[in-house]
Amino acid sequence: MKIQILFFGIGKDIVGRNLLEMEVPDGSSVLDLKNQLINKYPAFKDLKSLAIAVNNEYRLDGFTLSGNDEIAIIPPVCGG
């Protein structure tokens, strides 16, 4: 299935754009997506954390994605 992913912060810098269309197998989980991103963009593995929001809600690794989900990759945020 094709999904569209929005990237913010350093995630946008790693991918080189803020929106990416990606092909993932049907029934893919958030963890599957993270692993695919790390395989394609190894710099993601250097991040201490990587949150995934699906339809405006943070989701755990076991959550199953569907083709019409709005997916956002939210890297760690720091500041003061």
Side-chain angles (χ1 to χ4, degrees), residues 57-69:
E57 291 187 40
Y58 288 106
R59 297 296 184 178
L60 298 176
D61 287 347
F63 183 82
T64 302
L65 303 172
S66 69
N68 60 352
D69 287 336

Side-chain angles (χ1 to χ4, degrees), residues 7-70:
F7 294 90
F8 299 94
I10 194 166
K12 180 180 171 185
D13 295 339
I14 291 170
V15 174
R17 62 184 110 172
N18 66 339
L19 180 63
L20 176 70
E21 190 171 275
M22 194 170 177
E23 187 75 31
V24 298
D26 288 345
S28 291
S29 68
V30 166
L31 180 59
D32 296 330
L33 175 59
K34 285 180 183 179
N35 288 332
Q36 249 189 297
L37 286 171
I38 289 168
N39 286 337
K40 190 167 182 171
Y41 302 97
F44 276 115
K45 72 179 176 183
D46 297 331
L47 300 179
K48 292 183 181 187
S49 66
L50 186 64
I52 307 282
V54 181
N55 300 324
N56 297 315
E57 291 187 40
Y58 288 106
R59 297 296 184 178
L60 298 176
D61 287 347
F63 183 82
T64 302
L65 303 172
S66 69
N68 60 352
D69 287 336
E70 179 182 87

